[in-house]
Amino acid sequence: MAVSAPVGIDELLERVRAGYTRIAPPAAHEAFLDGALLVDIRYQALRERDGLIPGAVVVERNELEWRLDPQGSHRLPQATGHDLPVVVICNEGYASTLAAASLHALGLHRATDLTGGFQAWKAAGLPVVPA
């Protein structure tokens, strides 16, 4: 197996993001209203500090693939098929990019992530409730 040249995280994010269309907060809210699954991967301290998006499913990042794999034995009830629209949300829109890429590798071809993350959602005045 050939080893490829190392890349920095900024280049990796750019490469990954070129493979799908990210979604802005207002469009993510519309997608949710139309049936998309919002998945909050922020860690607990951030959720407690900043609140939650009503209706979003909280899945710790280290469990994401197991919970969203439609063929997996540990999947969420919402993980009904590979055509499921999924919006992954982290705090600022960086970790969610890599998470969305991982979901694409599992065949969840409609997975995307929220540009700017939870902070952009909140700044856009979209619904947030206390944790």
Side-chain angles (χ1 to χ4, degrees), residues 6-55:
V7 298
I9 188 62
D10 292 330
E11 183 177 342
L12 178 61
L13 287 172
E14 187 177 312
R15 287 181 186 181
V16 169
R17 288 173 177 167
Y20 65 93
T21 302
R22 300 179 79 209
I23 193 167
H29 187 249
E30 277 298 314
F32 171 68
L33 295 175
D34 288 340
L37 182 64
L38 301 182
V39 181
D40 187 342
I41 63 169
R42 295 175 301 142
Y43 53 90
Q44 184 174 350
L46 289 176
R47 294 191 312 266
E48 289 174 358
R49 182 189 77 188
D50 296 335
L52 301 167
I53 296 171

Side-chain angles (χ1 to χ4, degrees), residues 8-123:
I9 188 62
D10 292 330
E11 183 177 342
L12 178 61
L13 287 172
E14 187 177 312
R15 287 181 186 181
V16 169
R17 288 173 177 167
Y20 65 93
T21 302
R22 300 179 79 209
I23 193 167
H29 187 249
E30 277 298 314
F32 171 68
L33 295 175
D34 288 340
L37 182 64
L38 301 182
V39 181
D40 187 342
I41 63 169
R42 295 175 301 142
Y43 53 90
Q44 184 174 350
L46 289 176
R47 294 191 312 266
E48 289 174 358
R49 182 189 77 188
D50 296 335
L52 301 167
I53 296 171
V57 176
V58 173
V59 178
E60 297 288 336
R61 174 61 190 100
N62 62 331
E63 297 179 355
L64 183 69
E65 292 80 2
W66 284 267
R67 299 292 185 236
L68 292 183
D69 178 2
Q71 300 173 333
S73 59
H74 293 86
R75 70 179 174 82
L76 293 172
Q78 298 94 323
T80 56
H82 289 95
D83 202 37
L84 178 69
V86 176
V87 180
V88 183
I89 303 164
C90 68
N91 194 49
E92 295 182 345
Y94 296 101
S96 58
T97 293
L98 300 178
S102 183
L103 295 178
H104 277 248
L106 284 174
L108 291 155
H109 62 96
R110 295 179 69 190
T112 187
D113 74 309
L114 182 63
T115 304
F118 178 86
Q119 296 305 322
W121 176 281
K122 189 174 180 180

